Amino acid sequence: MRKFIVTAVMAATLMPVAASAQSTAEVRRDRQDLRGEQRDLRDARRTGDRRDIRDQREDVRDAREELREDVRDRNRAYGRDDWRGWRDRNPGFYARGSWNAPFRYNAFRTGVRISSGYYGPRYIIADPWRYHLRRPAYGQQWIRHYNDVILVDTRRGIVIDVVRGFYR
């Protein structure tokens, strides 16, 4: 049983790396396909008729569009509200549970300075990608505060963003 749990945890932590590697491989494959289509278009211009050239241009256009889409997917960064649809489809990730902090709930606003006790290591969301939260910048952390999620500048203790009612 212990081996199964360790394996499951390792798989869960490596999942984003595998997805990233897969999309990088897709981009590389799409670039190779585009070069091949461009080569075929050059050959068609040298030896083919108008229909061959037209067909090859369309193939080059399709290959470019597929490359653009895969590059866009690979470079995707989650926006402010990208988690909403994901939460509706995966409610188990956002279950509130019996989580409570040893201090009283405060409705924080952006720009407010908070004590380091509110963003200690036990409150940090270590895997914001799992919840489709945007990537925090250097020196920032997503923090759980009861049902809310707060983006805090940990160097100065200033609240940058607040998402109320994040957990259900």
Side-chain angles (χ1 to χ4, degrees), residues 105-159:
Y105 173 78
N106 290 311
F108 292 116
R109 295 183 327 269
T110 58
V112 173
R113 184 179 301 260
I114 62 175
S115 166
S116 62
Y118 287 105
Y119 56 91
R122 70 182 281 194
Y123 308 116
I124 292 175
I125 298 174
D127 50 357
W129 52 267
R130 178 179 177 205
Y131 299 104
H132 286 228
L133 291 167
R134 71 176 193 251
R135 185 180 309 127
Y138 178 77
Q140 297 176 357
Q141 289 287 337
W142 284 104
I143 306 299
R144 181 170 183 171
H145 181 66
Y146 288 84
N147 285 350
D148 300 344
V149 174
I150 304 168
L151 183 62
V152 177
D153 180 350
T154 55
R155 295 171 294 178
R156 298 178 295 157
I158 295 187
V159 176

Side-chain angles (χ1 to χ4, degrees), residues 6 18 26 28-29 51-52 54-55 71 75 78 88 90 92 101 103 105 112-113 117 132 144 148 157 165-166:
V6 170
E26 285 177 12
R28 186 179 312 117
R29 207 170 318 115
R51 187 184 325 172
D52 289 340
R54 185 176 61 236
D55 291 343
V71 166
N75 296 338
Y78 294 112
D88 294 340
N90 301 292
F103 42 78
Y105 173 78
V112 173
R113 184 179 301 260
H132 286 228
R144 181 170 183 171
D148 300 344
F166 186 78

Side-chain angles (χ1 to χ4, degrees), residues 38-63:
Q38 288 171 334
R39 194 176 320 115
D40 292 344
L41 176 61
R42 280 193 305 271
D43 292 343
R45 284 183 177 152
R46 257 187 266 134
T47 60
D49 62 353
R50 287 183 176 176
R51 187 184 325 172
D52 289 340
I53 295 171
R54 185 176 61 236
D55 291 343
Q56 288 303 321
R57 279 184 185 157
E58 187 174 323
D59 290 344
V60 168
R61 203 173 316 130
D62 291 343

